[in-house]
Amino acid sequence: MRSSVLCFVLWMIFGGWPVSFAEETESFKVKWNRLAKDPGRVMKVSAIPGEEVPEATLNLSFGPGSLISVARGKEISKKNMLEDHDILGVINRNLRVVKYCYCKALKRDPSFEGQAVIGLQIATSGQVDRVIIEPGKMAENIFGRCLSKRILKWRFPKFKGVKNDGLRVASIGYEFPLAFNRAQ
């Protein structure tokens, strides 16, 4: 029992939720401005009210930055940690999922548009353990509920969880800004 408590405490200190999840005091606007300094890093989705994006085709989309690895006869060796391009490749491949959820929200409210910060907790297995969508009203909207459920199904490359200083982590956090608006 004591060793599991110690492991949990060490996990929280060295590899737990990222600082951005723990800092609940950072307002959405401050977080958005920090993450969106480089406009090229803002994920953008637009849709026409009434547009249908069939859910059955969601996994067929490969956007810019997509990475596909193929290996024959041997397993691809795991990286120590995921890099930005590893994470952004998965996000770009799944922008169609974001558009699907946005189209669902537009059906209910044709004027719905805005900005959100999406926070992910990615386990070393590549699974998404936790999704946080800010601001809170966006997470509670049909868009946020749809998106959270689907992001939990995203799969990132497996990694060892070994930092440069040799410390091990069970998961990493990643945030990205998302802007969505109605297409004209």
Side-chain angles (χ1 to χ4, degrees), residues 39 58 152:
L58 294 181
L152 286 169

Side-chain angles (χ1 to χ4, degrees), residues 12-67:
M12 289 303 292
I13 291 171
F14 296 112
W17 304 119
V19 174
S20 58
F21 285 164
E23 291 176 359
E24 297 295 332
T25 58
E26 185 178 29
S27 73
F28 166 73
K29 204 63 166 164
V30 170
K31 189 176 282 189
W32 174 266
N33 290 335
R34 177 176 51 83
L35 293 170
K37 279 182 185 172
D38 176 5
R41 296 196 39 105
V42 177
M43 301 296 167
K44 297 177 183 168
V45 174
S46 63
I48 301 167
E51 180 178 0
E52 293 284 333
V53 176
E55 188 169 13
T57 64
L58 294 181
N59 60 350
L60 300 178
S61 178
F62 295 96
S66 298
L67 301 173

Side-chain angles (χ1 to χ4, degrees), residues 21 24 48 56 68 70 92 97 100 106 148 151 162 167:
F21 285 164
E24 297 295 332
I48 301 167
I68 299 173
V70 178
N92 279 326
V97 170
Y100 169 78
L106 280 176
S148 287
I151 288 176
V162 178
L167 291 174

Side-chain angles (χ1 to χ4, degrees), residues 110-121:
S111 64
F112 180 71
E113 58 187 12
Q115 300 170 331
V117 172
I118 312 298
L120 309 173
Q121 193 69 34

Side-chain angles (χ1 to χ4, degrees), residues 72-110:
R72 292 183 183 203
K74 65 177 184 174
E75 186 177 318
I76 298 172
S77 63
K78 292 185 203 175
K79 293 182 169 190
N80 283 337
M81 295 295 285
L82 291 182
E83 297 172 24
D84 270 357
H85 67 86
D86 298 318
I87 297 170
L88 290 172
V90 173
I91 293 170
N92 279 326
R93 283 194 306 273
N94 286 286
L95 282 179
R96 190 166 176 88
V97 170
V98 178
K99 185 169 182 173
Y100 169 78
C101 292
Y102 184 46
C103 287
K104 281 183 72 168
L106 280 176
K107 280 184 179 178
R108 189 163 288 173
D109 178 5

Side-chain angles (χ1 to χ4, degrees), residues 4-16:
S4 63
V5 171
L6 178 62
C7 289
F8 177 74
V9 170
L10 289 173
W11 176 77
M12 289 303 292
I13 291 171
F14 296 112

